[in-house]
Amino acid sequence: MAVGQIGNFLAYTAVPTVLVTPLGALGVPFGSILASYLLKEKLNILGKLGCLLSCAGSVVLIIHSPKSESVTTQAELEEKLTNPVFVGYLCIVLLMLLLLIFWIAPAHGPTNIMVYISICSLLGSFTVPSTKGIGLAAQDIFHNNPSSQRALCLCLVLLAVLGCSIIVQFRYINKALECFDSSVFGAIYYVVFTTLVLLASAILFREWSNVGLVDFLGMACGFTTVSVGIVLIQVFKEFNFNLGEMNKSNMKTD
């Protein structure tokens, strides 16, 4: 798992966020396939269809993703972080988090799954951009130039933001899993989290600026396909349905 997370971190430093975040869903179909063989867990026909859709949607995402990075240096990252549009977006996210954590979650969190999902997903606006920013800043830390000290300070700040957001996310993910079914939570969380992360990355890194209409529609279709696949795998995994039973029912009807 540690090696996988290191690979995920390296991917954020080398590839546009709009590609890495949706492709994180590939862990679900591959995990389901491995579990069916190694742990003998049942994977019904809808789960197999979900695996196929997730892989097909991922291929579409790769084909239509941005072909180049919009932010490649620490100086560009600092400029993006101080952009008034991004600062305004962060202020709105912080206000929403304060409202959700201190007022809405205590009263409605245990009965409304969207409360905990919204908190964890909004925190993704900090975790993923921070991860990408740490990778960019780390490239200049070990260089003997005046910008290395600034890069170190920026890296430490982003590490602190990343650590705090992950801790809060873990807390509310655990709370959600205590109150709601993990399959339903996982499917909805993936869609909402990915959507908000893509929004934050689009505002910060402007990765969509070089994407044409055809590629934009292709990525939207790919993300939708992956999301449908995840829902089929997660939500319907306990649904007892297979082609053999369907054939038997059709024979009885005839």
Side-chain angles (χ1 to χ4, degrees), residues 88-240:
Y89 171 76
L90 284 186
C91 291
I92 294 173
V93 170
L94 285 172
L95 287 174
M96 293 177 67
L97 283 171
L98 291 173
L99 181 64
L100 285 166
I101 291 173
F102 293 106
W103 280 279
I104 298 178
H108 304 287
T111 57
N112 191 332
I113 192 173
M114 289 306 300
V115 174
Y116 292 145
I117 287 178
S118 298
I119 293 173
C120 297
S121 299
L122 285 170
L123 286 167
S125 299
F126 299 96
T127 54
V128 173
S130 295
T131 302
K132 190 175 182 69
I134 290 169
L136 291 173
Q139 298 174 7
D140 295 331
I141 290 178
F142 302 103
H143 293 169
N144 293 323
N145 53 48
S147 64
S148 60
Q149 285 297 108
R150 292 172 59 88
L152 179 60
C153 294
L154 178 61
C155 190
L156 291 175
V157 171
L158 292 176
L159 274 173
V161 172
L162 179 64
C164 293
S165 60
I166 288 177
I167 290 171
V168 178
Q169 274 183 281
F170 278 157
R171 180 187 178 190
Y172 283 96
I173 286 175
N174 287 330
K175 282 189 173 186
L177 295 177
E178 290 175 359
C179 302
F180 306 101
D181 182 79
S182 60
S183 300
V184 177
F185 172 81
I188 301 175
Y189 178 51
Y190 166 75
V191 176
V192 179
F193 176 85
T194 304
T195 301
L196 290 178
V197 167
L198 292 181
L199 176 61
S201 300
I203 296 173
L204 176 59
F205 298 113
R206 307 286 179 89
E207 293 174 337
W208 294 94
S209 58
N210 296 324
V211 176
L213 179 61
V214 174
D215 287 330
F216 174 79
L217 293 176
M219 291 198 69
C221 292
F223 174 57
T224 303
T225 304
V226 173
S227 300
V228 172
I230 297 301
V231 170
L232 288 176
I233 296 170
Q234 294 282 72
V235 177
F236 296 99
K237 67 179 181 180
E238 301 296 335
F239 189 68
N240 294 320

Side-chain angles (χ1 to χ4, degrees), residues 44-55:
N44 58 29
I45 186 64
L46 294 178
K48 294 175 183 177
L49 178 61
C51 292
L52 179 63
L53 288 174
S54 297
C55 294

Side-chain angles (χ1 to χ4, degrees), residues 22-65:
L23 288 183
L26 284 176
V28 177
F30 284 126
S32 300
I33 293 171
L34 288 174
S36 67
Y37 286 103
L38 300 179
L39 304 178
K40 306 303 179 183
E41 293 185 1
K42 186 177 180 181
L43 184 64
N44 58 29
I45 186 64
L46 294 178
K48 294 175 183 177
L49 178 61
C51 292
L52 179 63
L53 288 174
S54 297
C55 294
S58 299
V59 172
V60 175
L61 281 171
I62 293 171
I63 293 173
H64 294 281
S65 65

